[in-house]
Amino acid sequence: MTQAPAASKAARRRHDREIVALAVPAFGALVAEPLFVMADSAIVGHLGTAQLAGLAVASSLLMTAVSVFVFLAYATTAAVARRVGAGDLQSAIRQGMDGIWLALLLGAAVIAIVLPTAPAVVELFGASHTAAPYAITYLRISSLGIPAMLVVLAATGVLRGLQDTKTPLYVAVGGFVANGALNAGLVYGAGLGIAGSAWGTVIAQVAMAAVYLFVVVRGARRHGASLRPDPAGIRACARAGAPLLVRTLSLRAILMIATAVAARLGDAEIAAHQIILSLWSLLAFALDAIAIAGQAIIGRYLGADDAQGARDACRRMVQWGIAVGVVLGLLVIVSRPLFIPLFTNDQVVQNAAMPALLMIALSQPICGIVFVLDGVLMGAGDGPYLARAMLVTLAVFTPVALLVPVFGGELTALWGAMTLMMTVRMLTLWLRSRSGRWIITGATR
């Protein structure tokens, strides 16, 4: 009678060790992008409200341009982890190299689109006449760093699949420090204003990509994996990532709709929205650290034909997601009076942001479940379901968000719509995880 509980406790401890070993370093790497934005927001925010409002629009567009290709990390993590579980390291790294080549091609295409269309896109998203010039400047300069960021995504996926989240942590810390120092020096020391912030971020991003390429190339040579572009492999990576691209486009559409609605509420509201979105992104990436561990662990278990291990790991990670969500929510409530003044001295902006932050705090346990289950299903390669579920979520969120200004709602109402969006995601992901249909074992799905 005592052996079963003892075995269960031992299994939980084993899963806890795996989750912590992967999730803690992954957190540092994951927060690099929102910390870049937060650092930019803190530095640019003291230039003025118009500059911060311009940054809000531009950074939302840039994060969309990069994040729609997050499948370069997520799909690569799952595919590499499966092959690691099956014991084929050479094939695992070759899969990652195909992803890196795809990242370079996609990055070049994005630059070609963003540079000429920047003014029209900024106008489309409702930036005021005072904020628009700053948004265009930041958007055009920062777009030059997109290929580097896509390489970072793909290379990070390779390392995560190899169960290595420490190297991305070291690169992220170095990148964040360099970004902050460069931004401060170029914005205030060189007097470049918002353009200096953009150039500082681009330089930091290129340096991060160079480090990742060095690490992955060294691993490829060690295991005899080819570095040459393989057209068939690149096409296979693109096809495997297509469902996750649909899923991510839907999510980014939700965030862009939210930004567009906030922009139409006024400069103070969009500036407050930028501050809140920066924090929300940071919290989301903190929760996603557990999801990243889930991608690597679930992929490895399924690649090793261990379906029960995958189920047990999923259950334990959901428990972690809820607990971390509760802690993060409490931290937001306590730190609200201290957090907002870091970004702006404008009392109108502070008043708009304060109640909306409370909405974020209350939703964190829901977010914890969402991000963990998202990671589990990605690790299982269940992209088609994730795409369908996010399209349903987009269909629910869009009319609710667009009605906020129609009925005179303020920023808090908009973030109430964001909480509804996360609740819908939680329900769709929970139903899938309960069904067990995501559990398909083997080196490939």
Side-chain angles (χ1 to χ4, degrees):
M1 295 292 292
T2 60
Q3 290 182 349
S8 178
K9 289 181 180 179
R12 285 198 300 270
R13 286 196 296 269
R14 184 178 71 253
H15 290 310
D16 287 346
R17 286 193 298 269
E18 288 182 330
I19 293 168
V20 171
L22 291 171
V24 172
F27 170 73
L30 283 168
V31 300
E33 183 179 338
L35 283 178
F36 275 26
V37 176
M38 290 179 71
D40 290 355
S41 299
I43 292 171
V44 172
H46 291 286
L47 292 174
T49 299
Q51 287 89 334
L52 183 59
L55 175 65
V57 175
S59 64
S60 176
L61 292 167
L62 285 165
M63 290 176 68
T64 298
V66 174
S67 296
V68 292
F69 302 118
V70 75
F71 69 84
L72 291 166
Y74 292 161
T76 302
T77 298
V80 170
R82 276 184 179 266
R83 287 164 174 79
V84 168
D88 189 355
L89 289 177
Q90 184 184 66
S91 176
I93 296 178
R94 176 64 258 182
Q95 178 89 18
M97 288 304 305
D98 292 334
I100 289 173
W101 282 109
L102 178 61
L104 289 170
L105 293 173
L106 292 173
V110 172
I111 289 179
I113 294 171
V114 170
L115 288 179
T117 62
V121 173
V122 167
E123 182 180 358
L124 177 65
F125 280 85
S128 69
H129 70 279
T130 55
Y134 300 110
I136 294 169
T137 296
Y138 192 92
L139 180 59
R140 280 180 162 160
I141 296 173
S142 294
S143 69
L144 301 177
I146 288 177
M149 285 308 295
L150 297 190
V151 168
V152 167
L153 286 175
T156 300
V158 177
L159 297 180
R160 289 173 184 166
L162 294 170
Q163 317 295 296
D164 175 12
T165 56
K166 290 183 179 179
T167 299
L169 169 62
Y170 302 146
V171 177
V173 171
F176 173 67
V177 172
N179 179 69
L182 287 166
N183 279 4
L186 293 174
V187 170
Y188 296 111
L192 296 180
I194 196 170
S197 177
W199 279 118
T201 300
V202 169
I203 295 170
Q205 289 166 344
V206 171
M208 291 173 66
V211 174
Y212 272 116
L213 285 174
F214 172 79
V215 173
V216 174
V217 168
R218 184 180 59 183
R221 288 174 174 168
R222 182 185 305 124
H223 295 287
S226 174
L227 299 175
R228 295 180 179 178
D230 176 15
I234 293 172
R235 287 194 298 269
C237 284
R239 286 194 299 269
L244 291 181
L245 177 60
V246 173
R247 169 254 181 207
T248 305
L249 282 171
S250 300
L251 177 58
R252 295 311 305 182
I254 288 171
L255 297 179
M256 287 193 297
I257 289 169
T259 298
V261 171
R264 284 165 172 77
L265 296 176
D267 276 4
E269 285 74 11
I270 185 59
H273 178 74
Q274 170 63 16
I275 295 171
I276 296 168
L277 188 60
S278 297
L279 177 61
W280 189 81
S281 298
L282 176 61
L283 297 174
F285 277 88
L287 292 168
D288 208 23
I290 306 172
I292 293 302
Q295 291 177 30
I297 292 170
I298 294 296
R300 194 187 73 235
Y301 274 123
L302 295 177
D305 294 322
D306 187 354
Q308 188 57 48
R311 291 189 186 92
D312 294 341
C314 174
R315 186 179 307 110
R316 190 58 175 165
M317 281 182 284
V318 169
Q319 294 170 356
W320 272 79
I322 296 171
V324 173
V326 170
V327 171
L328 291 176
L330 292 174
L331 287 175
V332 172
I333 292 173
V334 171
S335 64
R336 278 189 308 157
L338 303 175
F339 175 79
I340 299 176
L342 293 175
F343 293 88
T344 180
N345 297 321
D346 190 325
Q347 191 61 48
V348 177
V349 176
Q350 292 185 16
N351 291 340
M354 192 69 72
L357 280 177
L358 182 60
M359 185 69 68
I360 289 180
L362 296 176
S363 69
Q364 286 311 294
I366 296 173
C367 294
I369 298 172
V370 168
F371 281 98
V372 167
L373 290 180
D374 211 35
V376 166
L377 296 182
M378 285 183 188
D382 200 17
Y385 179 82
L386 291 173
R388 293 192 298 271
M390 191 57 73
L391 288 172
V392 170
T393 304
L394 175 62
V396 173
F397 170 79
T398 301
V400 175
L402 294 179
L403 286 173
V404 168
V406 173
F407 288 99
E410 298 180 347
L411 195 62
T412 304
L414 175 60
W415 278 93
M418 292 287 286
T419 300
L420 171 64
M421 178 270 294
M422 294 302 292
T423 302
V424 174
R425 290 188 68 191
M426 180 184 69
L427 292 174
T428 58
L429 296 174
W430 178 79
L431 289 172
R432 185 64 168 184
S433 68
R434 293 282 293 176
S435 73
R437 295 177 182 175
W438 54 277
I439 300 176
I440 299 175
T441 60
T444 58
R445 183 179 171 87

